[in-house]
Amino acid sequence: MKAVYLHVPFCDSICAYCDFCRIITNEDTKSKWMAQIIEEIKQKNIHEVDTLYFGGGTPSSLACEQFKKIASLFNVSKEFTVECNPESLDLEKIQLYKKLGVNRISLGVQTFNDHLLQVINRKHRKEDIFQVIQLLKENGINNISIDLMYALPEQSLEDIKKDLEIFLDLDIKHLSIYSLQIEENSIFGRQNLKPVDEDIEADMYELICRTMEKAGYLHYEISSFCKPGYHSKHNLAYWQDEDFIGLGCGASGKENNVRYDNTRSLKTYIESGANPYIYEETQKDKAFNAIMMALRTTFGLDIQKWNQRYDQDFIKRYQSILEKYHDVLKMENGILYPSREAMEILNTILVDFLLID
Ligand code: SF4
């Protein structure tokens, strides 16, 4: 499977929690970035791909002409996802996306609560979200994923309950939901904002899991829920130890099982390209990463594939862990599946994996 992630680093405003590679910039810099990203795609000779993911930043902030120039360089066979913000999406862009083969939209909603949207410095409001979802559906894009957040400042359990009720009313296929992380280099980090109490955060997560499962969604990854058949195909590459190509400044990739991070500096990128930092990982690190990523999802870990790739006998090596967690880690037809309980205590389980030499 060939998976490609392309990072679009531009945003129209900066959200209070954000520490991603993003920048507010002018058209001149955007044109220089355009020239460089097109050059990078051509140099890497990428055309036929299984999944293509435009992430950011805000890919929907690209003008139609810019988006078309980049998207036309690819031929996508399975899934073409574009991350969008409600305020930067309109009918013209949606129709263009559809024409260019985009078949999945990931919408950065975060919350439907107008006051909380203000607190986290998002520019859209609840009504913008409703309008854009209606436009997407009217134009035949039904595979929509929404990002929501919890453990926000001033957010109560009742607020989360309301957000989930609205989400369910909208009949959306996929939900990604993350707790607020206070990053040092974000606006919240600089304001020294204190995180929500751990027990309250755990109650919020519990409420989310219960509500979504009751509504018929599959909890297929720690932070992701979907209607059957609507899991993210692109992210499977990350979770199942496959390679994925990262394009653009701020992108990460893994080629021939070697991970890299492209430069986060737009200036460096424009002047001299991706300048990837290559991770020097041992086979042991890579083998552990494969376990860590696979156990995040209900797709589980393919033991035979792991044994072959890392030249080891998983069952023999981790016998003690399999015995200790036999209630929550189940082996079936050569796949090790985590139960929901296992996903909840995954960090503890992973520490045990790390301790085996
Ligand atoms: S959260 Fe997304 S939209 Fe907000 S500043 Fe960061 S990259 Fe831009």
Side-chain angles (χ1 to χ4, degrees), residues 11 13-15 17-18 20 22 56-58 85 122:
C11 287
S13 61
I14 302 299
C15 306
Y17 54 87
C18 181
F20 301 139
R22 75 299 185 250
T58 312
N85 280 346
R122 295 289 298 202

Side-chain angles (χ1 to χ4, degrees), residues 282-291 301-318 353 356-357:
T282 61
Q283 277 297 92
K284 193 181 165 200
D285 294 336
K286 291 179 186 181
F288 173 74
N289 279 339
I291 297 169
L301 178 72
D302 183 329
I303 301 298
Q304 204 187 356
K305 181 174 153 188
W306 188 92
N307 285 350
Q308 277 168 0
R309 184 163 290 179
Y310 300 108
D311 197 21
Q312 292 182 58
D313 184 331
F314 182 90
I315 295 182
K316 218 161 142 192
R317 184 179 163 98
Y318 296 118
F353 271 103
I356 305 264
D357 209 14

Side-chain angles (χ1 to χ4, degrees), residues 257-296:
N257 211 12
V258 175
R259 289 196 301 133
Y260 57 87
D261 289 341
N262 290 348
T263 179
R264 281 174 65 105
S265 157
L266 183 57
K267 187 170 177 286
T268 306
Y269 182 72
I270 286 172
E271 284 169 4
S272 60
N275 285 280
Y277 165 81
I278 315 262
Y279 284 81
E280 281 180 26
E281 290 176 308
T282 61
Q283 277 297 92
K284 193 181 165 200
D285 294 336
K286 291 179 186 181
F288 173 74
N289 279 339
I291 297 169
M292 178 173 74
M293 294 307 283
L295 294 185
R296 287 184 65 89

Side-chain angles (χ1 to χ4, degrees), residues 20-55:
F20 301 139
C21 174
R22 75 299 185 250
I23 188 166
I24 301 175
T25 190
N26 54 35
E27 282 311 313
D28 182 46
T29 308
K30 275 190 187 174
S31 319
K32 290 180 180 148
W33 174 86
M34 282 290 299
Q36 190 61 269
I37 194 88
I38 289 170
E39 182 58 30
E40 195 187 351
I41 297 165
K42 287 186 177 159
Q43 265 183 17
K44 286 212 166 192
N45 199 16
I46 308 165
H47 179 61
E48 303 290 332
V49 301
D50 291 314
T51 64
L52 178 60
Y53 193 105
F54 278 25

Side-chain angles (χ1 to χ4, degrees), residues 23-293:
I23 188 166
I24 301 175
T25 190
N26 54 35
E27 282 311 313
D28 182 46
T29 308
K30 275 190 187 174
S31 319
K32 290 180 180 148
W33 174 86
M34 282 290 299
Q36 190 61 269
I37 194 88
I38 289 170
E39 182 58 30
E40 195 187 351
I41 297 165
K42 287 186 177 159
Q43 265 183 17
K44 286 212 166 192
N45 199 16
I46 308 165
H47 179 61
E48 303 290 332
V49 301
D50 291 314
T51 64
L52 178 60
Y53 193 105
F54 278 25
T58 312
S60 55
S61 69
L62 288 176
C64 283
E65 262 318 295
Q66 294 170 324
F67 187 91
K68 191 175 166 188
K69 267 193 189 152
I70 304 173
S72 309
L73 297 173
F74 298 97
N75 188 19
V76 187
S77 62
K78 288 189 181 147
E79 186 182 85
F80 184 177
T81 305
V82 181
E83 275 182 7
C84 300
N85 280 346
E87 75 277 14
S88 59
L89 207 49
D90 57 25
L91 181 61
E92 194 191 353
K93 286 184 187 171
I94 292 171
Q95 287 177 338
L96 177 77
Y97 293 175
K98 179 83 186 154
K99 207 166 127 194
L100 292 171
V102 174
N103 52 17
R104 186 170 184 268
I105 293 291
S106 171
L107 204 57
V109 168
Q110 318 314 347
T111 167
F112 295 99
N113 179 315
D114 279 347
H115 171 65
L116 290 176
L117 282 168
Q118 245 170 323
V119 170
I120 61 175
N121 204 30
R122 295 289 298 202
K123 286 295 156 239
H124 65 266
R125 293 294 174 260
K126 188 166 78 177
E127 278 310 312
D128 302 321
I129 307 166
F130 295 156
Q131 277 174 20
V132 111
I133 289 173
Q134 194 180 343
L135 270 184
L136 285 165
K137 289 186 174 180
E138 280 170 5
N139 286 277
I141 301 186
N142 288 299
N143 190 357
I144 302 169
S145 174
I146 277 184
D147 282 357
L148 289 179
M149 294 179 82
Y150 66 101
L152 296 173
E154 301 178 36
Q155 190 181 35
S156 64
L157 270 171
E158 198 49 40
D159 291 328
I160 293 168
K161 210 171 148 202
K162 273 191 202 137
D163 272 353
L164 293 174
E165 274 168 18
I166 298 175
F167 173 89
L168 293 174
D169 275 351
L170 289 168
D171 189 25
I172 298 292
K173 308 291 186 205
H174 189 281
L175 170 70
S176 295
I177 188 157
Y178 303 99
S179 65
L180 173 72
Q181 302 298 313
I182 299 172
E183 308 290 349
E184 218 182 340
N185 288 324
S186 66
I187 297 172
F188 279 157
R190 287 193 290 276
Q191 288 170 347
N192 232 346
L193 187 82
K194 294 284 160 277
V196 165
D197 177 87
E198 267 181 26
D199 288 341
I200 297 178
E201 187 177 324
D203 287 348
M204 290 176 165
Y205 184 68
E206 184 56 33
L207 170 72
I208 293 160
C209 296
R210 250 189 299 122
T211 310
M212 295 303 291
E213 281 162 15
K214 202 168 151 210
Y217 284 76
L218 306 174
H219 187 183
Y220 77 100
E221 192 263 348
I222 289 181
S223 312
S224 313
F225 301 81
C226 72
K227 285 280 173 72
Y230 284 93
H231 59 273
S232 162
K233 295 187 178 73
H234 177 80
N235 287 359
L236 273 184
Y238 308 151
W239 297 321
Q240 298 197 323
D241 202 20
E242 297 293 333
D243 277 1
F244 52 96
I245 297 168
L247 297 170
C249 68
S252 298
K254 183 158 75 105
E255 293 179 48
N256 302 316
N257 211 12
V258 175
R259 289 196 301 133
Y260 57 87
D261 289 341
N262 290 348
T263 179
R264 281 174 65 105
S265 157
L266 183 57
K267 187 170 177 286
T268 306
Y269 182 72
I270 286 172
E271 284 169 4
S272 60
N275 285 280
Y277 165 81
I278 315 262
Y279 284 81
E280 281 180 26
E281 290 176 308
T282 61
Q283 277 297 92
K284 193 181 165 200
D285 294 336
K286 291 179 186 181
F288 173 74
N289 279 339
I291 297 169
M292 178 173 74
M293 294 307 283

